[in-house]
Amino acid sequence: MKDVMKKTIINLMFLAIVISFTSCEKFLEKEFDASLSEEKVFNNPTLTREFLSNIYTNLPDGFGIYNDPQFLGASRDAMTDNAVSYWGLHYYTKIATDGYTSSDHPLLGFWNTNFNGIRKANQFLKYVDPNNPNNPDPSRSVISNVTLSGDDSKLRDRYVAEAKFLRALFHFELVGYFGAAPILEDKVLDMNDQASMNLTRSNPAEVLRWIADQCDQIKDILPFRYASDGNWGRVNGAAAYALKSRALLYRASALNNPDNNSAWWQEAAVAAKDFLDKNNSFAKPFILYPDYQKAFYETPYQNNETILSRSVWYTNAIETNLLPFGFSGAAGRTNPTQNFVDSYEMTNGKFIDEAGSGYNPQNPYANRDPRLEATIFHHGSMWGRADYNERRAINVSEGGTDYRGDHGGTFTGYYLKKYVNPELIMSDKKTFAHAWVIFRYAEILLNYAEALNEASTNGPEDDEAYKAVDQVRSRAGVAMPNLPRGLSKEAFRKRVRNERRIELAFEDHRFFDLRRWKAYEGVTAANEKTKPRYEQLLNIYVTSVAVAGGIPTYTGTGLNSSLQDDNIPLRVFNSPKNYYFPIPYNETQKAPNLGQNTDW
Amino acid sequence: MKALAISIILGFMSLTSIAQQEGTPLKGRVTDKQGNPVSGAILNITEENRIAVSDKNGNFTIKRYKDGDELLVTATGYLDKTSQVLDKENFTIVLEPDSEKYVQYIATPYTRTQKRFTVNSMSTVTGTDLEKHPVTVLQNALPGSVTGIATLEERSEPGWSETALFIRGLRTMNAAARNPLIIVDNIERDLSFLDAYPIETITILKDAAATSIYGMRGANGVVLVTTRRGEAGKTKISFNQEYGFQTPSGIPRQQNSYNYALTVNQARYLDGLKPLYTDEDIENYKQASSGTLDPSLRYKYVSTDWYDVMLRDLSPQNRTNLSLSGGNRATRYAVSLTYLRQEGVYNTKWTDWNEGYSTQHVLNRFNLRSNIDMDVNKFLNVSLDLGGRIDQISQPLSNTFAIFTFGSGENLPINPVFTPLGDFYLPNNSADKNAGALISSTGIDYNRRRNLYSNFTATGNLDFITPGLKVKALIGFDAYNTFQYQQSQNFDGFYYDPLTGTPDDPSSYTYVRKRTATVLANPLTIAREMSYNINTLGSVNYERAFGRHQLNAQVMMRTYQNVIEGYNSSTRYLTYGALANYVYNNKYIAQFSGAYSGSDNYAKGERFGFFPGGSLSWLISEESWLKNKNISMLKLRASLGRSGQAVTGVRRYPFQGEYVEGNGYNFGTSQNYSQGAYESAAGNSNIKWELSDMLNLGLDFNLWNQKLYGQVDVFKEWRSNILINRSTVPDMYGVAVPQDSYGKAETQGIEITLGHRSNIGAVKFNIQGMLTYNKSKITELDEINPIEDYQRQTGNIIQFFTGQNNLYYIKDKWASEEDLIATSHQDAIDNPSKYPYQGTMKLGNAVFKDQNGDRIINDQDRIPYGYTRIPELVPSLNLGFEWKGFDASVMLTAFLNRTVETRENMDYAGGWGGASTHEVTKTWGYFNDDPTDPRNINALYPRLSTTFSDIDRNYPRNQSDIWFRNGNFLSLRNVEVGYSLPVRVISKINMSKFRIYFRGYNLYNWSDFDNGFDPESPLNYIWAYPKTKSFSLGLNASF
C-alpha cells in the first residue's frame, strides 16, 4: 500500500514538473505589444502619411541653430568673410580658422541628418512607389492614386515625387558639405548585410547630375504651386525646378567642373530658364517681394517670392539672438564684418572705392544700396517700438549700450537686422511667424545670369543676363541702377557675384558660393591686402566708433583702414583641404571605401 | 511615537507581572558534562519573561515556578537546552558544549548550508552588526562589514538617499547592467524595503558558481538577505531607542565679501580690466565681514555666508525599534516595528518662517516586519511573512538642486538676504538666488510611499516517501505605491543695487520686483505610480546523510513578474534550477548548481540560456594527518561557474525595430501640425543577456581557536555579450545604430579577511582587517582604430560612465614666460623652442603636454588617465574591545584607487554665478602675477579670470588632470562605545540586556581634498544635498 502511494506521489510530481515545463513556456509570451513596426506603419494610410510628414523635419534649417546660442546661435555666414560670432568657443570660429579635425568637428551632424533623411525617404518609397525595386508588393498601395480635381489628384504619385525630391535635396546637402558622396538610389541599408554599407562615393559632378535627373522625373508630377492653403509649404514642382537649377549651377562651377566644360554652364542656364518660363506661364507666378527688408519677416505664405521653405513659424529666438546686445534679453550673436558692409554699392551703382562714388568714411552709411539698411544694424541705426518707448539709436561706441559685454555684444561694430521683426516689443517678446527660405525667386534670376555669363566667351552675349540681375536690383524699394551694359565676362562675374553676396546674404549661400567659385585659390592673408576690403576673405575688418559731443567718429570705415580686432582670429583657409568638411573619422574607419577628403 | 513605543513596552511588562502571581521559587544548578559549574547561564520560563542567572557555583533561583513550566537555558559556549523539572530537590541541568562547527549554518541560495561545508565565495554580516551604523540606507553599512563590495553614495537627502552597490567592482561597460541582484527571503526585492533590525544576516554571493542558480540575473553578484524568524521557547522582547544628529560632512566655505571683492578685482586685474570695487568699498566689505561696519552702511555693504544662512549645525534623527519573537513548538513568530524620523539640514529660521506649518525636510518612516511559522501537522509547515514600509517625506517645494545651487552655492557674499524694506532680496539676474526664501516660502512638497511585501510558503514533509524529502511552494506578492502632492507658495522678492542710493535710507534705493507673494495654495495632487511583483517558487528538496555521505539537493521552478502601469507587457523571468551539495566523509565537498533561465525580453526561441556552476572543496583540517587542536579549520575551495544578466537597459523588445508617432511637420498657411511617424530605433536580434564566467579559488582558516582566522578569495571573471557599438555599422545606416552584444571584459581581484580574537585578563579584544581589490580590463570593444594608438580603450579599465572614454589632457606646467608662447601654429612649427603652441595663451594658463609632438594641442593629445569614482581597492579595519560590561568598536575604511571629477568652478566661478570658495587661494595669480612666485609655480588651478576661457577651464580643455582629482580617502566609518548593565543586576527586573551606547557614522575623512570638500562627491555641496555624518545615543533593552 505504502509503495503504491509512494509511486503515485512520485508520478504526480513528475507530471507536475512536465506540465509546468510545457505550460510555463507560455509565461514568457508577449502579453501585448502596441508598438509600431515597419509593416504596421506602411499598411496604414494615416501612418504612411505621417511618415512622409516626418521626412520634412530633415529639411535644412538655418534657424534651428538659434536654439543653441552658446555654440551655434549665429548665422552660418559667420563661417565666411560676411560675419563673425563673438567668442572663441563658437563652432563657426573653429571652422573659419581651420581649427578642427575629422574626429573633433562640431558640424559633422550634417552627415547623419542627411543620411537619416535619405533612409526615411527610401523606406517610404519602398512601400509607396510601385516602381521601387524593393517594393514587397507593388500591386497594392495604401495611398490612393485616383484622379481628382485639385492638389490630391494622383496622390500616390505626388507623395512619391515629394519623397524623391527630399531624397535629392539630402544628397545635395551632402555634396555641399562633404563633396563626393554616395548615391544611395533606392537602397535601404540593412544592418545584417554589413558589406553593403561599405559604400563608395561618386564625385560631386555625378551626384549633382543625378540630383538634376531626379528633379526631371518629378518636376512636372508635382503641382508647380499648390492650390490649397493647407498644402502650402509642401514640396512643389517649382522647388524641383529650383533644385535642378542650383544643382546644375554648382556642377558647372570651378570646384566641380575642373575642365571648365562650358556645356555644363549651358545646361545650368537652361535649367534656370526652364524655371522662369514655367513660372511665367502661371497666372500667379513667383515674384520678387516688393519690400526687401520685409521679405524676411513677412508671414511666410504671404511672400510670393518663397519657393520652398523650412517651417519654423512662431518664435522670437531669431530676434533675441540677433538684436543688438543693449536690448533687454538680446544676445547679438551675429556680427557682420566691415568687409561685408563695404560690398554694398552706393546708390549711384558704384562700389565705394570707385572714382566718383561719393563715399564718405565719416558718414559711411549714407547713399548706400538700401539693402544695407535692411540687412545691417550699424551705429546710429534706429530700432525699437516708438509706441512702447523702446525706439532708440544703436550705440556701438566703446562703453555704449550695444557695445560688447561679458556675455555678448559686437566685435565688429555691426549686428544683423535681416529676419528681425520690427513689431517685437522687448518687454513682452511676442513670437512671430518665420520660415527658413530654402529657395526663392531672386536666386533663380541670379543663377540664370551667372550661368549665362560663364557659358559665354566674352561676357553675356545678349541682354538676358543683364535683365535678370537688373530685375533683382530694381525690386521695389531697392531701385538700384541697372548694370552698365557691355561688361567683360570678368567684370560681369564680379558684379553678379557681389549681387549674390548682398541679395542672398545670411541665407547659407556665401559659404558654398565661395567654395564652388574656388575663390580662395592663391589667396593669403598677406597678398590679399592689396585688394579692397570687400574682396578680402581672410583679413577681417571691423569698425570702431568714438562719440564726442554727440558726433561719432568712425575708425575702420576709411577706404584704406586696416582696423582689425585681436579677439577675432585671422581666417584660415587651406586649399584644397577646406573646400570640404572631412568625412567623420569614425565613418571612414567603419566604411573604408568612403576614403577621406584631400588633406584631412 | 516614542510615547507609544514606551507604553507598548510597559504593557508587556505589566502583562508579565500579572502572570507572576502564582508559583513558588525553584532552586537548581547548571553544570557542564564534566560536572563543572556553569556561571552566567540565563534561565527563563518558556513563553514568559521571568529569568534567572546562575552564579559562579552554577546555582540559581527562579521565582514563582509552577509545575509543568519548561525552562530554557542559554549560556555562551553551550547549546541551548529546554528542560522540564522532574526532580525539584536536586535539580541539575547539564549543558552540551557548543563547538561552533556543529551548529553554524549560513544562508545560501534557497537553502542553508553548514558553514564548514560551504564551497563558494561569500561574505556575511549579521543584522546585529549592521545595527551599529546609524544609517538610513542599508548599503551604507556594508563597506568594512563585508568584502568584495564598493559603494557610491549618490544622493543623501532624507528619504531620497541612494547608494549604488557594486560587487567585485565595475565588471561591464554597460552602466545599465551593473546592479547586483538583491534577494530578500528567496525573492528578488529592493534593499530599501528594510532596516537592520529584522535582518538575521546579509550574505554577499560573489562567485558565479554561487550565483548561477539565479540564471539571467546573477552576473553582478547577489546580496542575499535573510530575515529573523522566531524560535520555539524563547519569548524575546527587544526595545531600542536612539537619538542622534546629522551634520554635513563637508561644506566648502565661500569667501566673505571682503575676500570676494579682492578676488574679483584681482581677476579683473589679470584680465586687464579696471577694478570693480574701490578701496573704500573693500574697506567697508572688510568691516562688514568682521562685523565692525558702521551700522549706517548696513544696506550698502553686507557679507552673507549663504551656507550659514541656509544650514543648521545639527539635524535631529531618531529611531525606535521594538522587536518581539518567540512561540511554541507549533507556532513561532518574529515581529519588528521601527519608526525613523530624520530631519533635514535647513535652518529653522526659514523652516519655521510661516506660522502653523514647517517647511523642514523631514522623513518619517515606519518599517514593519512579521514572520510567522506554523506547523499545521507533521506533514505540513506554513509560513506567512509580511513586511511593509511607509515613508512620508515633506520638504520645501523648491527643489534641492535649486536651493543648494542657486540659493547658496552660486550665490554671492555681497548679496544681502533682505532688502532694507525687509523683503527677500534677489539679484537682478535671478529669481532663485536666496536660500532663505526658497526654503521658507516656495511651498511644500509631500511624498508618500507605501510598500508591501509578503511571502506565503508551504513546506510539505514527505519523509513518509523517503526520509529527507520535502516539497515547497512559495508565493510572494510585493506592491509599491507612491503618492505625491504639492502646495505652492511664493514670496515678495526685490532687487536693489546696494552700491547706489543713500546709505541708511531705505527709500533712496530703487526696488525692482522679481517675485510676488502668494499664500500656501491648496494641494495639487500628482499622478501616483504603482507597480507590483508576483514571484513564485516551487521546489522538491532532498537532504539526507547515509554513512559517510551527506546530500542536500533540490530542483525548482521560479517565476518573476513585474507589472508596471502603462504601455508595456510586464517583465517576466522563468527559471528552472537544480542545486546539489554532496559531502563525503566530512572532508570532500562537491557542489553543483544550474539554471535554465529565460526572459521575455527576447524573441521566441531565443529566450533561454543555461547557467551551470560547480565547486569543489577540501577540508584539510579533517584529514587525520593534520588533525591538530591548533588547527580548528583549514579549507581549500575552487569554483567555476556561469551566470547571466538580462537587464541590459535596452528597450523592452530589443530584437525588434520600433516606429513611433511624433516629430511631425507644419504644413499650410495656418500651419496645421501634421503628425509624424518615424523609425525610433532599429532592432537587433543579436542583443542578448550578458554572461559572466568566473573562476574562484579560496582558502578559509581558523588557527589556535580564532587567534588567527581568515578567508582569502581570488577570482578571475570573463564577461562577454556586453552591449557595445560595433565598428562595422557606419552612421550612413541612417538611424541610430543599435548596440550589439559583442563586448568582452575581464576582471580579477582578491578579497582577504584576517582576524584575531583574544583576551588579556578581563579585556577581550578582536581585530579584523579586510581588503577588497579588483581590476577590470576591456578586452573586446570592436573599437575603431583611434588616430593615436595611445587613445585605444581596449585594454584599459572600464569607465563608470558608459561611452566616456576617460581621455584627459595632462597639465605640464603653467605658462610662465611670455616669449615661450608661440603666436601661430606656423610659428610653433618653425620655432620648436617656442614650445608649446596654445593659441591665445596667457601667463598662468595651463600648458598641456603635446602627446603626439605635432606642436598643436587638440583632441589627439588626450590620454587615458585615472581610475573611476568606484574604488578598486577597499581596505578596512575593525577593532573591538570588551571589559566588564564596557564595549567599544571602531571601523576604518579606505576607498583607494579612485578618481573623482571636479569642475572648473572649484575655485573661482566666473562662469557659474561668480561665487568663490577658499579654494581660490590655490589659483594661479591669486596673490600676484609673478610667474616666479612659488605660490604661482605650485598653484593647483590655472590663471584666475573673470570669464572661462577655452584654454583650461572650458570644454573641451577642462577634460584635464587639473579637474580630475585623486579621490582616495580614509573614512572613520563607524565608532561605537557601549556599556551593558550586569545581567545579574537586571535579571531582577526580568531583563536580559540593558545597554546604553554612542554610535557615530562617517565621522571623519582623510583625503587629498581640504576646505570642506567631501572626497566621495566633491561637488555635492553645490549641486546636491551634502553627504552627512551622524552620531547618536541609544539604549537597548531586552526582556
Side-chain angles (χ1 to χ4, degrees), chain B residues 27-49:
Chain B
K27 288 185 189 221
R29 186 161 183 260
V30 187
T31 66
D32 65 12
K33 281 205 292 194
Q34 284 77 37
N36 301 318
V38 173
S39 70
I42 296 172
L43 299 99
N44 86 269
I45 295 176
T46 308
E47 291 180 70
E48 289 184 27
N49 280 299

Side-chain angles (χ1 to χ4, degrees), chain A residues 6 27 29-33 35-36 38 50 53-54 116 119 123 229 232 301 311 313 585 587 590, chain B residues 465 567 569-570 572 607 656 659 661 663 665 668-669 671 674 679 727-728 731-734 785:
Chain A
K6 223 189 230 179
F27 180 72
E29 294 298 299
K30 279 180 188 171
E31 290 159 339
F32 62 96
D33 181 3
S35 64
L36 297 175
E38 187 171 88
E50 292 180 359
S53 302
N54 173 264
N116 177 235
R119 177 184 179 85
Q123 283 179 321
D229 280 353
W232 188 90
Y301 59 83
S311 167
W313 236 248
Y585 174 78
E587 205 74 345
K590 292 173 175 177
Chain B
I465 296 174
Y567 168 82
S569 299
S570 60
R572 283 150 291 144
R607 288 180 176 140
Q656 61 185 35
Y659 286 65
E661 277 190 298
N663 290 356
Y665 191 81
T669 54
Q671 290 284 288
S674 172
E679 185 182 19
S727 71
T728 42
D731 291 350
M732 287 185 289
Y733 181 54
N785 280 326

Side-chain angles (χ1 to χ4, degrees), chain B residues 329-393:
Chain B
R329 284 208 173 82
T331 308
R332 296 162 301 276
Y333 62 90
V335 179
S336 162
L337 173 67
T338 310
Y339 166 68
L340 167 74
R341 180 182 168 89
Q342 187 187 5
E343 290 193 19
V345 293
Y346 300 133
N347 197 325
T348 48
K349 176 171 181 187
W350 310 118
T351 56
D352 296 344
W353 186 257
N354 306 284
E355 202 173 324
Y357 59 91
S358 162
T359 56
Q360 185 61 269
H361 192 138
V362 180
L363 165 70
N364 280 298
R365 172 174 290 171
F366 301 87
N367 247 317
L368 174 70
R369 203 347 125 154
S370 159
N371 290 352
I372 297 170
D373 299 297
M374 261 187 297
D375 296 331
V376 177
N377 54 39
K378 69 176 188 175
F379 302 114
L380 181 65
N381 170 279
V382 294
S383 40
L384 176 64
D385 304 346
L386 286 173
R389 188 182 80 165
I390 298 173
D391 276 358
Q392 311 203 157
I393 306 161

Side-chain angles (χ1 to χ4, degrees), chain B residues 43 101 103 166 215 234 282 472 483 488 599 626 951 1029:
Chain B
L43 299 99
K101 58 188 178 182
V103 291
F166 303 90
K234 298 190 236 184
I282 285 174
K472 188 169 167 181
F483 309 81
S488 65
S599 157
L626 194 69
I951 296 295
K1029 52 185 166 189

Side-chain angles (χ1 to χ4, degrees), chain B residues 504-520:
Chain B
D504 213 18
D505 177 10
S507 65
S508 73
Y509 296 96
T510 311
Y511 299 93
V512 181
R513 180 178 281 278
K514 310 284 292 179
R515 281 200 187 220
T516 305
T518 57
V519 295
L520 196 68

